[in-house]
Amino acid sequence: MPRWEQDARAPGPIVQGFSGRGFSIGGTVYEGVLLTPERAEAWEAPAVAALELASIEPLLALEPAPEFMILGTGAGMAFPPRALIRGLEARGIGVEVMDSRAAARTWGMLRGEQRWIVAAIMPLG
């Protein structure tokens, strides 16, 4: 399993590496995962085209609201429905879309800076 070192200054879950279609976090492998600064939880990710606010509801319950959401769309980058982006922006939450490997690395870097963010990361294929 590929691994990399993360800056562990910020508390909460950090992606420690990749395993098959998923991500190793705290000794557990998640194929799809929702991340907040406080927890990681398994996510049965829908197809990118089917994403809606209800798909990421646990991330929207974070208090205070996150600065933005990292969306990992699997092995390659794909844009989610515009309605999802508009719904998040209406809540004051920006969205950064990238492939899931880049999303996992970006999560670690930004959490190392103690940014108050969330992530929805889809399986790797």
Side-chain angles (χ1 to χ4, degrees), residues 3-99:
R3 297 180 65 82
W4 67 90
E5 295 298 317
Q6 297 288 331
D7 184 344
R9 290 181 292 168
I14 297 294
V15 179
Q16 297 152 325
F18 308 112
S19 180
R21 293 173 20 104
F23 309 89
S24 177
I25 302 169
T28 301
V29 174
Y30 299 87
E31 285 200 357
V33 64
L34 297 176
L35 297 167
T36 74
E38 301 163 337
R39 69 185 183 286
E41 68 179 71
W43 182 40
E44 291 293 326
V48 174
L51 278 170
E52 54 188 34
L53 289 177
S55 307
I56 56 167
E57 190 60 41
L59 300 180
L60 303 177
L62 187 65
E63 288 292 331
E67 296 175 51
F68 64 90
M69 180 180 87
I70 299 168
L71 176 61
T73 58
M77 190 174 90
F79 288 97
R82 188 73 190 135
L84 175 73
I85 304 293
R86 280 194 298 265
L88 288 166
E89 289 173 347
R91 293 172 181 241
I93 302 170
V95 182
E96 293 293 330
V97 180
M98 57 194 76
D99 70 77

